[in-house]
Amino acid sequence: MADKQESYLVLARKYRPESFATFIGQEAMVQTLKNAFSANRIAHAFMLTGVRGVGKTTTARILARALNFEDDNGARPNLDLETEGKHCRAIIESRHVDIIEMDAASHTGIDDIREIIDSVRYGPVSAPYKVFIIDEVHMLSKAAFNGLLKTLEEPPPYVKFIFATTEIRKVPITILSRCQRFDLRRVGPEALQDYLGGILEKEGITFEQDALQLVIRAGEGSVRDNLSLLDQAIAHSGGDIKAETVRQMLGLADRALTLDLFETLMKGDAASALEQLRHQYDAGADAATIVTDLASTTHLVTRLKVVPGADKDPVLTPDEKTRGKEMAQKLNIRVLSRTWQILNKGIQEINNAHDAIQAAEMVLIRLAYAADLPTPDELIKKLGDAPQGGSASAQSAPSGRPTGGGGMQAAAGGGARMQAVSVNHAPQASPVSKPTMSISTFEEIVALCGEKRELVLKHALEANVSPVSVADGRIEIALTPNTDQSVASQLSQKLKEWTNRPWMVTVSKQKAENTIRQQRDRAAQEKLDKAMQDPSVKAILAAFPGARLVNEKSLIDDEPPAEQWLDDGERDEGIDE
C-alpha cells in the first residue's frame, strides 16, 4: 500500500499525451504540423501560446520527439508516433541529453542565454536535432531577448527552438517574427466530456454526468485544471462522484436553486430572494459565488435570447435549457443588461465588504427593486401617451411590474406587488417652475456666487467685471481687457440654475471701470493714507528708517477694517521693515 502511495501520479501527469494521437482540442495546429512534416517544411523555431493548461509544454515535448524520431530505418522527422523510436522514451521522461528544457521564469538573465548560445555551437550527442524548449519565455529580460536574436534568426541546421508562453504580448515582435506561431485554444466542453469520462472509466470511477459538467464548467477550458479538479473530486467523493459532492467541494449552489433565485428576483420579490439566499448560504455555498452564478445565469438567458441554437451546449443541464428559454422569452434585453450591470458591480462590493453575506443581501435587494421598474424609454413613452389635464397611471400587471415593462410575469396568486406611476398635468402646457429668488443688484450676484462656493466665478466678477445695468432676469456687464468672454455664459448658466429662471447676460463694448476689486483697493489705500497722517505713525516711521505701513486696522470704528477687503495673500498686519 505504501508503494502505491509513493508511486501515485496525479491524473494531469499520468494521462499527459505522448503523441498527437491522444492530444485533444488543437486540431488546427496538429493538421498544420502534419502537413509541414510531410512536405519537409519544418520551421527552425516555434512559438506556442495560450492560457494555462491547454497543452503548450506537452506540444513542445511531442514536437521534440517527432523531430528526433529514429527507428531501424534511420532518423526521419515523423508525427506518426504510435511506435517508440530510439530516443522517444528518454524524451518522454525528460532525460534526453539533446533536449534542453529551461524555465525562463527562473532563468531570466543574459547569462542564461549565453549558455544556450555557447551550447548551440556543438552538435547533438545522439539525436538528429538539438532542441531547446524555453517555457514562459515572456519572462526573459530585454537583454536576454536581444542576446537570442541572432542565434534565433540563423541557427545551425541541427538546432530547433520551441518557446511557450501565456503572455504573448510581452514577447518582443523581433522574436515573434523569427518563429512559427501557434495559438492553442481552450478545449471545448464536448471534447472534455469525452476525455474526462474516458479517464474515469480507465480508473474504475463511477460518476454522474451532472457532476462531470460541474467540473468542466469550473475548469474553464483548461485540461490541466479539469484533471486537477477531477483528482480532487475523486478524493472528496471516495470513488463515486456525485453532483452534490462536487457542488460542496467547489462551494457552488445547485443550478436549479440559482434559476429559482434568478426568477424570484426578476419578479421583484425581495423577501423570498433573501430567504433563498440564506438557504444556499447555510448549505455551504459562498456568498460571492452565489452572486457570480446569478451573473452567469443572466448571461445564459441573454445568450439564449439572442443566439439561435445556444441551448445545444452540452454543458447546460436540461433545467437550464428549458427554464432558461422560458425566461429568455419573458425578459427583454434592457432588463437583462441592467441586471448584468447590477450583479457585476455587486460582485466587486462583496469582495471588498467586511461581511460577504450582508453585501450579497444588499445586492439582491437592489436587484429585486430594480427588476420591476420600467426602463427610461418605457417611462418616457408612458408619460408621452398620458392624456392632458388628467393623471397618467401605469398600473402593474399581476407580476408586480408596470405593464409593458421587461420583467417576468408572476404566477397567479403569487402575492405580487402593485406599483403605479402617476403624473399630474396642468390644464394647459407643462407647468413652469416658479422663481426661487429675486436679484436686483450686482453685489447680490457676487454674494450669491460666494454662497454657492463658485469662487472662480466670484473672483472674475470682482476683479474683471463692472455692471452696466442690472434688472431681474437681465444684466449687462463690461469686461476688463484680455478677460475671457465666456464669463458671461457661465454667469447666465449659474443664475438660471440658482434662481430657477432664464437670465440674459450681455457684454457691453465699453471697458470695465470701477470694479469691486478696484473699489476695495481704493478704500484700503485711503485708510492707509489717513493713518500715515497720524503723529504716532509718523514718529514710529521716523524712529525706524526704511519701515513702511502696509495695513491699518480700526479698533474703534464700527465699519469693517481695511484688511477685510484684502485677499488672504495680501494681509500682513503691522509695520514691515
Side-chain angles (χ1 to χ4, degrees):
M1 183 69 178
D3 293 340
K4 288 185 178 180
Q5 291 179 348
E6 292 176 1
S7 62
Y8 174 73
L9 285 177
V10 295
L11 297 179
R13 293 184 60 191
K14 183 176 181 181
Y15 291 98
R16 167 172 274 177
E18 297 178 355
S19 69
F20 286 127
T22 56
F23 199 79
I24 65 168
Q26 311 298 339
E27 289 77 10
M29 179 194 68
V30 174
Q31 185 60 48
T32 302
L33 289 173
K34 285 182 177 179
N35 294 339
F37 272 68
S38 62
N40 197 24
R41 301 177 65 88
I42 305 172
H44 64 268
F46 300 89
M47 179 68 69
L48 308 175
T49 179
V51 299
R52 68 193 185 281
V54 293
K56 298 184 296 296
T57 305
T58 299
T59 299
R61 291 177 179 175
I62 296 174
L63 267 177
R65 181 186 171 192
L67 289 167
N68 287 310
F69 185 80
E70 185 176 359
D71 56 10
D72 296 337
N73 297 323
R76 52 188 174 86
N78 186 15
L79 282 181
D80 185 8
L81 302 174
E82 293 183 2
T83 58
E84 289 189 4
K86 294 181 180 180
H87 309 285
C88 289
R89 181 48 47 186
I91 295 174
I92 291 171
E93 297 176 357
S94 299
R95 55 181 175 81
H96 198 286
V97 67
D98 291 322
I99 310 301
I100 300 96
E101 290 192 35
M102 187 183 88
D103 179 20
S106 55
H107 300 81
T108 62
I110 183 63
D111 292 337
D112 301 301
I113 296 300
R114 285 197 183 104
E115 292 182 8
I116 293 178
I117 296 173
D118 293 339
S119 177
V120 165
R121 300 175 183 174
Y122 307 100
V125 175
S126 60
Y129 291 98
K130 178 178 283 190
V131 181
F132 293 91
I133 300 175
I134 303 181
D135 202 5
E136 301 300 337
V137 68
H138 67 274
M139 300 290 286
L140 289 178
S141 66
K142 183 177 180 180
F145 274 126
N146 291 335
L148 188 61
L149 283 177
K150 187 62 178 177
T151 303
L152 183 61
E153 184 174 17
E154 298 179 356
Y158 51 79
V159 171
K160 301 290 184 182
F161 288 96
I162 305 176
F163 304 119
T165 178
T166 54
E167 300 284 349
I168 191 64
R169 294 184 179 180
K170 294 183 180 180
V171 180
I173 190 63
T174 50
I175 296 291
L176 290 176
S177 63
R178 290 164 168 81
C179 302
Q180 190 172 91
R181 173 176 167 177
F182 292 101
D183 291 77
L184 279 69
R185 300 181 177 181
R186 297 180 187 270
V187 181
E190 301 92 342
L192 282 171
Q193 194 163 5
D194 295 338
Y195 181 67
L196 298 181
I199 289 177
L200 290 175
E201 291 179 1
K202 294 176 183 177
E203 294 289 318
I205 305 295
T206 57
F207 63 95
E208 293 180 352
Q209 286 295 335
D210 289 348
L212 198 58
Q213 291 172 357
L214 290 172
V215 171
I216 294 172
R217 191 192 300 268
E220 296 181 341
S222 167
V223 180
R224 184 173 62 238
D225 285 6
N226 275 275
L227 291 174
S228 298
L229 289 171
L230 199 61
D231 240 332
Q232 184 179 352
I234 293 172
H236 191 76
S237 62
D240 184 15
I241 304 178
K242 302 287 187 182
E244 184 60 32
T245 305
V246 175
R247 289 192 193 97
Q248 294 176 357
M249 180 189 78
L250 299 176
L252 299 175
D254 189 345
R255 302 300 297 177
L257 294 178
T258 302
L259 291 170
D260 291 341
L261 179 57
F262 181 81
E263 190 171 6
T264 301
L265 289 168
M266 293 299 99
K267 292 176 182 177
D269 191 348
S272 298
L274 293 186
E275 290 181 5
Q276 295 177 29
L277 172 65
R278 278 290 175 176
H279 174 73
Q280 296 186 31
Y281 182 75
D282 294 340
D286 179 68
T289 303
I290 295 173
V291 178
T292 303
D293 286 346
L294 285 173
S296 299
T297 302
T298 305
H299 172 265
L300 169 64
V301 174
T302 307
R303 185 175 174 81
L304 289 172
K305 188 174 186 68
V306 301
V307 179
D311 58 335
K312 302 297 189 297
D313 191 339
V315 177
L316 298 180
T317 64
D319 211 18
E320 287 177 318
K321 294 178 181 179
T322 55
R323 296 180 62 186
K325 290 183 69 174
E326 292 175 359
M327 287 187 285
Q329 294 173 357
K330 297 177 181 178
L331 295 170
N332 64 42
I333 293 296
R334 292 183 294 273
V335 171
L336 290 170
S337 298
R338 181 172 59 194
T339 302
W340 173 264
Q341 292 172 353
I342 293 174
L343 289 172
N344 274 278
K345 184 68 174 2
I347 293 170
Q348 300 175 17
E349 295 176 0
I350 294 170
N351 292 332
N352 296 328
H354 67 282
D355 192 320
I357 187 60
Q358 290 180 4
E361 288 181 344
M362 294 303 297
V363 172
L364 296 197
I365 291 172
R366 185 189 314 158
L367 182 58
Y369 277 87
D372 64 355
L373 293 177
T375 56
D377 58 332
E378 293 170 347
L379 185 58
I380 292 172
K381 184 176 185 300
K382 292 177 186 298
L383 298 179
D385 294 342
Q388 298 294 327
S391 64
S393 298
Q395 296 294 340
S396 65
S399 63
R401 175 180 183 82
T403 304
M408 294 178 58
Q409 299 291 335
R417 294 186 289 124
M418 302 294 291
Q419 182 174 353
V421 179
S422 299
V423 179
N424 294 325
H425 294 270
Q428 300 174 357
S430 58
V432 179
S433 301
K434 295 182 179 180
T436 58
M437 66 178 67
S438 176
I439 297 176
S440 58
T441 66
F442 186 72
E443 287 72 16
E444 291 178 358
I445 295 175
V446 176
L448 185 59
C449 289
E451 293 176 8
K452 299 297 185 179
R453 307 303 297 168
E454 289 290 339
L455 301 184
V456 175
L457 181 59
K458 178 177 180 290
H459 176 79
L461 295 179
E462 290 176 341
N464 305 318
V465 176
S466 63
V468 176
S469 63
V470 179
D472 199 17
R474 177 174 301 197
I475 178 172
E476 184 179 5
I477 58 176
L479 304 178
T480 58
N482 301 323
T483 301
D484 189 356
Q485 298 278 334
S486 64
V487 68
S489 61
Q490 295 176 22
L491 180 59
S492 175
Q493 179 182 355
K494 291 300 180 182
L495 287 174
K496 180 180 179 181
E497 177 182 334
W498 296 333
T499 65
N500 204 20
R501 65 158 52 187
W503 276 76
M504 180 181 293
V505 180
T506 58
V507 178
S508 174
K509 294 183 179 181
Q510 67 186 56
K511 178 183 175 181
E513 296 179 353
N514 201 24
T515 65
I516 292 178
R517 172 60 58 84
Q518 292 171 346
Q519 296 176 29
R520 291 176 181 175
D521 291 345
R522 280 199 304 270
Q525 188 60 46
E526 289 175 359
K527 288 181 177 292
L528 286 176
D529 293 342
K530 183 178 180 181
M532 289 288 290
Q533 303 302 320
D534 188 277
S536 300
V537 175
K538 289 182 178 181
I540 293 173
L541 293 175
F544 296 94
R548 62 189 179 91
L549 182 64
V550 297
N551 195 13
E552 178 271 342
K553 182 176 182 180
S554 176
L555 301 178
I556 299 175
D557 298 339
D558 292 334
E559 63 180 351
E563 64 159 342
Q564 292 188 8
W565 295 103
L566 303 177
D567 289 339
D568 292 340
E570 300 174 359
R571 294 179 183 175
D572 187 9
E573 298 183 10
I575 298 176
D576 183 20
E577 295 190 27

